[in-house]
Amino acid sequence: MSDEDGDVEVEAPELAMDDPMRAFLPASFGKKSKEADVAAQMDRSKRNVDRHAAQVAKPGSRSQDADSNPEGDDEGDDEGDDDNDSDDDSDEDEDEYPTSHEMIIKTHDRAVTTLSLDPAGGRLISGSIDCTIKLHDFSSMTPTTIRAFKSIDPFESKRSANSETHPINHVEFNPLAGGVFLCVSAHPQAKVMTRDGDILAEFVKGDMYLRDMNNTKGHVSEVTTGTWHPTDKNICVTAGTDSTLRIWDINNKRSQKEVLVFKSKAPGAAGRSRMTAVAWGTPAQGGNNILVSAALDGTLVMWSGNSPLSRPTAEIREAHKPNTWTGGIDISSDGRMVVTRGGDDLIKLWDTRKFKEPLVSVEHPSTCSEYPMTNIKYGPNSTSIITGSRTGHLHILNPGNLRPEYTTPVSPGVPLITVEWHPKINQIVTGSANGETHVLYNPTMSTRGAVDVMSRAPKRRHVDDNPELTIDMSLGLSGESIVTPGALPTRRGGMASSGKMKDPRRPQVPQQTPFMRSQPDEKHISENIPLSRMLHEDPREALLRYADVAKQDPMFTNAWKETQPVTQYAEVSDEEEDGPEKKKAKR
């Protein structure tokens, strides 16, 4: 050690450069930061799909339409000559579509019926027939913590045995304002909720006893689906089983803005039919908006222009087989094409300029008999069409002739119900009947979303990660806290009259006796019912209270105040003080 310089010299062990003991020497002080092996995590999320299974529909589609695409014949011949060419085509398709990797989210107990991503692609909401909506935030998930940060039931006002719940038919983020989304359940009242799950507006329910639907303020039966206005963030439309489409302003939830009544011409329908699907689009180059809806009797109806939408622009009867559920409908970005997927195992392409006959019609197995929410969607810029199938495959179709361009299994053997292709993050989200949500992506083509989740360092598992196991929600205490024995309030349960267990967390409601039912709360009556105090007041005294005021400032006889004669009453004699004699009773 040198005293003159004041520096401290630490003697380090002299080890050779290739000595294995160097691995045990500290390289720095403090806690080391654990970095994620992004390449290894991406490899683990890569889909192990058989190349031939992913291209089942491609050679068949080319052989069926040989005359329409001569180049497809040459490619089909080359594929039959060499298997290596098919492998090369599979690699090209994987590079063309974001389906090489996937992230699986298992948050629902039953089938996932609807999905939606916000315009930025950072939040995912999913609805299921288990009557819950799951909120997922990509920014808070890691490879080991892939789960929803919140689960909500739109109709759960309080926890009780009598609270009603309904399956979720449709959820959709507002494309112009990502802070709200439309929630449609199997209930006459649709709701607008914030991105955090709070109810912003609940539309009113109509009078079910009115025959004319034009006079009702809201749906009188179950709402099947809905969508947002393409250019106005405050307007949305809902379709119901009461044969109506109702346009709502989310700032006025007490009555719809406009009601479109569909009059079915099918025999025996009494002029009504269930509305099964609806789509609202606008041309990207500008023009009139297009509202297209499908009915259960197979009719396809189109309204064109802005409000008010008095009568349909075009109507196609039996566009699909009657009494089959047409659950999927979508409009292209240019507003010229409409694609529909019906319950008759057909996918049809329609031209809005000649809305009479379908341009193309192809066979596709339908799952609408089991899951009516099955949808079909246009891809980004309408360059492709995506939909699911009964076998669990994802089908990417050509938007011009509906031929399969790429088919890949997502949930083999389990129906694929809902699909969505987000244009900003370039990722495909699917919902299956087994309760799984698959996010398909490509690390080179996709941005954010699942790519960011798989790029983060995995979070170390801890028992506190699952709040259901460590927190008592009724007491607000964590599982690791120290509680003095006997300090907590005792729970007094018991059996209710219905045979169910009483909830100890609910306050005890006093039992109502017949006397209490006939004696209402007087304070409540006096505060809420006007003029209720007059029941206990003498009417003569109440009138005489204003006698002096009426004499000084008469309200109705002020014009004759000076010429009004003075009222003179006859003096009552002593004999008449007792009143007139009683009339003799009739025998």
Side-chain angles (χ1 to χ4, degrees):
M1 182 179 293
S2 176
D3 297 337
E4 296 177 358
D5 300 336
D7 297 336
V8 178
E9 296 180 359
V10 179
E11 296 181 359
E14 296 179 359
L15 298 175
M17 296 300 295
D18 56 349
D19 195 330
M21 288 297 294
R22 282 189 171 274
F24 297 96
L25 295 178
S28 61
F29 294 99
K31 185 178 181 180
K32 297 182 180 179
S33 61
K34 184 178 180 181
E35 298 180 357
D37 190 354
V38 179
Q41 292 179 169
M42 290 293 180
D43 291 340
R44 285 194 294 269
S45 66
K46 191 171 183 179
R47 303 175 65 236
N48 297 324
V49 180
D50 187 6
R51 297 178 186 270
H52 299 283
Q55 298 294 329
V56 170
K58 193 169 184 178
S61 63
R62 291 175 178 174
S63 62
Q64 291 175 1
D65 300 331
D67 298 335
S68 60
N69 188 7
E71 297 178 359
D73 297 339
D74 299 337
E75 294 178 1
D77 296 337
D78 295 339
E79 288 177 3
D81 296 338
D82 192 6
D83 294 339
N84 294 330
D85 295 339
S86 64
D87 295 341
D88 297 338
D89 294 339
S90 178
D91 294 337
E92 293 177 0
D93 289 331
E94 287 184 358
D95 295 339
E96 183 179 358
Y97 304 109
T99 58
S100 60
H101 297 67
E102 71 175 347
M103 183 180 71
I104 303 177
I105 305 175
K106 299 179 181 179
T107 53
H108 287 283
D109 298 331
R110 302 180 68 182
V112 179
T113 56
T114 177
L115 295 165
S116 183
L117 284 162
D118 67 340
R123 181 156 295 184
L124 169 67
I125 56 175
S126 60
S128 171
I129 57 178
D130 61 3
C131 309
T132 60
I133 296 177
K134 305 289 184 179
L135 307 180
H136 311 81
D137 198 349
F138 288 116
S139 61
S140 62
M141 289 192 290
T142 63
T144 56
T145 58
I146 300 177
R147 56 171 175 263
F149 73 91
K150 193 174 184 180
S151 176
I152 57 176
D153 186 350
F155 288 90
E156 185 181 14
S157 58
K158 60 181 180 178
R159 294 183 177 272
S160 62
N162 298 326
S163 61
E164 58 180 8
T165 56
H166 305 278
I168 308 300
N169 289 340
H170 183 75
V171 292
E172 182 179 348
F173 266 108
N174 192 334
L176 304 177
V180 296
F181 67 89
L182 177 65
C183 174
V184 176
S185 304
H187 190 268
Q189 294 176 272
K191 297 185 179 183
V192 177
M193 310 181 73
T194 63
R195 59 184 291 115
D196 294 327
D198 300 327
I199 298 177
L200 187 64
E202 182 179 6
F203 300 136
V204 69
K205 180 181 178 181
D207 190 353
M208 65 180 67
Y209 296 104
L210 294 179
R211 178 63 183 174
D212 190 1
M213 292 292 102
N214 292 293
N215 298 328
T216 56
K217 297 182 179 180
H219 287 285
V220 300
S221 58
E222 176 185 345
V223 181
T224 57
T225 184
T227 187
W228 290 96
H229 194 281
T231 57
D232 193 343
K233 64 180 181 180
N234 295 321
I235 304 298
C236 64
V237 61
T238 55
T241 57
D242 55 358
S243 190
T244 62
L245 297 178
R246 299 179 189 267
I247 301 175
W248 304 85
D249 187 347
I250 62 175
N251 299 319
N252 182 19
K253 60 184 179 180
R254 301 306 303 170
S255 179
Q256 73 266 353
K257 182 179 180 182
E258 192 172 351
V259 55
L260 307 177
V261 180
F262 169 69
K263 297 182 180 180
S264 177
K265 299 178 182 178
R272 290 190 180 186
S273 181
R274 299 181 181 181
M275 309 306 291
T276 60
V278 65
W280 208 344
T282 183
Q285 297 81 9
N288 292 330
N289 299 326
I290 300 172
L291 180 63
V292 185
S293 180
L296 186 64
D297 62 354
T299 307
L300 205 60
V301 192
M302 181 179 69
W303 290 267
S304 180
N306 298 321
S307 297
L309 304 175
S310 57
R311 60 178 58 187
T313 306
E315 182 175 335
I316 305 175
R317 294 186 61 185
E318 296 187 1
H320 285 274
K321 185 178 179 180
N323 297 325
T324 59
W325 196 278
T326 304
I329 186 171
D330 199 13
I331 304 174
S332 61
S333 59
D334 57 1
R336 296 181 178 180
M337 297 296 175
V338 176
V339 61
T340 58
R341 180 182 177 184
D344 52 357
D345 298 338
L346 290 176
I347 296 179
K348 296 184 179 182
L349 188 65
W350 310 83
D351 191 346
T352 57
R353 296 164 294 183
K354 299 178 180 179
F355 206 64
K356 294 182 179 180
E357 296 291 336
L359 300 179
V360 185
S361 179
V362 297
E363 294 185 0
H364 189 84
S366 175
T367 58
C368 292
S369 59
E370 301 174 6
Y371 305 102
M373 310 86 175
T374 304
N375 68 342
I376 186 169
K377 288 288 185 180
Y378 271 98
N381 299 324
S382 299
T383 56
S384 58
I385 298 174
I386 60 172
T387 186
S389 67
R390 183 185 296 273
T391 58
H393 287 70
L394 173 68
H395 298 263
I396 301 180
L397 312 177
N398 189 300
N401 49 27
L402 299 182
R403 290 183 304 174
E405 292 185 345
Y406 182 67
T407 304
T408 178
V410 177
S411 55
V414 179
L416 197 65
I417 302 174
T418 179
V419 294
E420 183 172 354
W421 193 341
H422 197 277
K424 192 169 185 179
I425 63 177
N426 196 18
Q427 298 177 21
I428 300 176
V429 187
T430 65
S432 305
N434 57 359
E436 292 181 354
T437 302
H438 295 252
V439 183
L440 307 181
Y441 68 97
N442 190 310
T444 58
M445 300 173 55
S446 305
T447 58
R448 295 183 294 180
V451 180
D452 290 350
V453 174
M454 291 301 171
S455 302
R456 298 190 183 98
K459 186 178 180 181
R460 183 175 296 178
R461 294 180 178 272
H462 193 268
V463 68
D464 287 342
D465 290 342
N466 192 352
E468 296 179 357
L469 302 178
T470 59
I471 295 180
D472 189 352
M473 301 303 294
S474 62
L475 301 176
L477 300 175
S478 63
E480 295 182 354
S481 61
I482 300 174
V483 181
T484 307
L488 296 179
T490 59
R491 296 185 177 184
R492 297 181 180 178
M495 298 293 292
S497 58
S498 60
K500 298 180 180 180
M501 292 295 295
K502 291 183 178 179
D503 192 351
R505 293 169 290 186
R506 296 185 61 191
Q508 295 295 331
V509 180
Q511 185 178 5
Q512 284 191 354
T513 61
F515 177 76
M516 293 178 60
R517 293 176 184 175
S518 60
Q519 298 292 330
D521 188 4
E522 295 183 0
K523 182 180 180 182
H524 173 77
I525 293 177
S526 61
E527 292 179 355
N528 295 277
I529 300 178
L531 304 178
S532 59
R533 297 182 179 178
M534 295 180 62
L535 297 174
H536 309 284
E537 191 176 6
D538 188 4
R540 184 173 181 275
E541 294 180 358
L543 291 175
L544 292 177
R545 189 183 306 167
Y546 302 97
D548 297 338
V549 179
K551 187 176 181 180
Q552 296 175 2
D553 187 14
M555 182 180 300
F556 302 103
T557 60
N558 195 18
W560 303 279
K561 183 178 180 180
E562 297 179 357
T563 60
Q564 187 72 11
V566 180
T567 305
Q568 296 180 358
Y569 298 100
E571 296 181 358
V572 181
S573 59
D574 296 340
E575 298 178 354
E576 297 179 357
E577 286 183 357
D578 299 337
E581 297 181 358
K582 295 182 180 180
K583 297 182 179 180
K584 296 182 179 179
K586 295 182 179 180
R587 296 181 180 178

